[in-house]
Amino acid sequence: MIDKLEFFITLAQERHFGRAAEELGISQPTLSAALRQLEEQLGVSLVVRGSRFQGLTPEGQRVLEWARRIVGDTRTMREEMRAARKGLSGHMRIAVIPTALAMVPRLTEPFQARHPDVTFSVTSRTSLQVLSQIENLEIDAGITYLDNEPLGRVTTVPLYHERYHLITGAGTPLSDREHVSWAEVSHLRLCLLTPDMQNRRIINAHMAEAGVTARTTLESNSMIVLFSHIRTGQWASIMPRNVAESFGFSKEIRMIPIIQPEASHLVGLVATHREPHTPLVSALLHAARSGVAAARFDR
């Protein structure tokens, strides 16, 4: 039953029998047979039948909620028993918004120093993807904004506030200023994150509050692409200062606070809202709340 519920969760996530089977490492007939067996056991149809996947039935949507709960509880039980035998170990999957990627070592480094048998995979995702992947049990935790858009039902731990700076080359317009306004920055040739990123939506909102629109001539979902264009001296960008500092900019790059108003948004750790959490997630949440981790993020 647990295996079949995991198959069903993956199908609901991929919304395609072939992709779901590939993700699970099984054949499509095996997936279809398991799904039919699950429907027979529960006495309801879970998927709208057709030549291709057409969605879940109302009963299927309800079963999906139960499946996530049951599979999550089962994984927690397995991890607790493994931790009881071997101590805390395993693999932690974390999805992070692009502007917070540079801050991840402030959490993972002290955590792994305390728990050396834990490994990590860290992926860059939009804020919406972070929440979706938590819900679908694809990741164990995420780092995203806590105060700008609805989060839904998740456990949160605040980490730090993101404050915005104009990042531009020395000798370019506004580069000699001690601070600039959102209205002034709007006239520059900007490279920014793509509109699907919450950071971009935040920047657009602050521009709108100032009565202006950003002059964006290049967009990317990669911070490295943005930095490489800033270095040419032909583009400027708007970024949190801690992100810019992580790339070790030389004196040729200026980081100028944006005021009128000075904007700040809270970034934090998120995990599924359930008790108990897996031992790994519980330990990560504890580390994020601890004085040592808090001090690292306050630096």
Side-chain angles (χ1 to χ4, degrees):
M1 173 66 81
I2 299 299
D3 288 344
K4 292 169 190 171
L5 292 176
E6 290 184 330
F7 291 176
F8 180 55
I9 291 172
T10 302
L11 176 61
Q13 169 194 320
E14 297 293 336
R15 301 185 62 80
H16 187 279
F17 278 93
R19 289 196 299 269
E22 183 178 356
E23 177 69 20
L24 291 164
I26 60 176
S27 68
Q28 188 169 327
T30 299
L31 173 61
S32 298
L35 181 62
R36 290 191 180 278
Q37 290 170 9
L38 182 60
E39 289 178 320
E40 291 172 3
Q41 288 177 285
L42 297 176
V44 296
S45 295
L46 302 177
V47 177
V48 178
R49 288 290 187 267
S51 58
R52 62 182 65 185
F53 184 88
Q54 297 181 10
L56 303 181
T57 65
E59 295 82 3
Q61 290 288 353
R62 185 64 180 138
V63 170
L64 179 61
E65 296 177 18
W66 278 104
R68 288 168 174 161
R69 191 180 312 173
I70 293 168
V71 170
D73 285 344
T74 302
R75 292 180 181 178
T76 299
M77 178 185 66
R78 289 171 178 163
E79 285 198 21
E80 281 195 5
M81 296 306 100
R82 183 178 63 201
R85 296 193 315 271
K86 302 180 179 179
L88 196 64
S89 63
H91 188 71
M92 177 78 69
R93 303 161 300 168
I94 305 176
V96 185
I97 55 174
T99 58
L101 286 168
M103 306 296 283
V104 175
R106 301 190 184 189
L107 182 61
T108 54
E109 190 276 329
F111 185 91
Q112 196 167 56
R114 178 170 291 188
H115 307 292
D117 292 328
V118 175
T119 59
F120 293 93
S121 60
V122 179
T123 54
S124 177
R125 295 289 184 267
T126 69
S127 57
L128 294 178
Q129 288 172 332
V130 169
L131 298 177
S132 174
Q133 290 189 337
I134 285 176
E135 183 180 37
N136 288 325
L137 306 178
E138 296 174 74
I139 58 173
D140 302 294
I143 297 178
T144 187
Y145 296 101
L146 301 186
D147 63 354
N148 189 59
E149 295 179 356
L151 292 173
R153 192 171 171 80
V154 292
T155 299
T156 64
V157 180
L159 295 176
Y160 66 96
H161 283 87
E162 191 175 81
R163 294 178 174 85
Y164 306 98
H165 287 62
L166 168 65
I167 312 299
T168 189
T172 59
L174 305 180
S175 63
D176 59 343
R177 299 281 295 277
E178 293 300 319
H179 52 74
V180 294
S181 69
W182 289 94
E184 290 172 319
V185 171
S186 71
H187 299 296
L188 299 178
R189 190 179 184 215
L190 295 174
C191 56
L192 300 173
L193 287 172
T194 49
D196 60 327
M197 299 291 180
Q198 191 171 168
N199 171 267
R200 176 65 180 279
R201 296 195 291 275
I202 287 172
I203 290 172
N204 288 348
H206 289 302
M207 289 284 188
E209 290 170 4
V212 295
T213 302
R215 181 180 169 227
T216 308
T217 60
L218 185 142
E219 298 174 338
S220 177
N221 62 1
S222 166
M223 300 302 293
I224 293 177
V225 170
L226 300 186
F227 282 126
S228 65
H229 282 79
I230 294 169
R231 287 186 183 277
T232 68
Q234 301 302 310
W235 279 271
S237 190
I238 300 170
M239 298 178 185
R241 183 182 179 93
N242 52 30
V243 176
E245 288 177 334
S246 71
F247 275 75
F249 275 154
S250 67
K251 293 181 180 179
E252 299 303 313
I253 301 296
R254 295 292 315 280
M255 295 178 281
I256 306 166
I258 303 176
I259 61 171
Q260 298 176 6
E262 181 179 354
S264 173
H265 290 275
L266 185 62
V267 175
L269 184 69
V270 294
T272 182
H273 185 81
R274 61 190 305 277
E275 290 293 343
H277 288 107
T278 67
L280 284 176
V281 172
S282 293
L284 189 68
L285 292 170
H286 175 74
R289 296 185 182 109
S290 71
V292 173
R296 284 172 173 262
F297 281 100
D298 286 341
R299 290 187 303 191

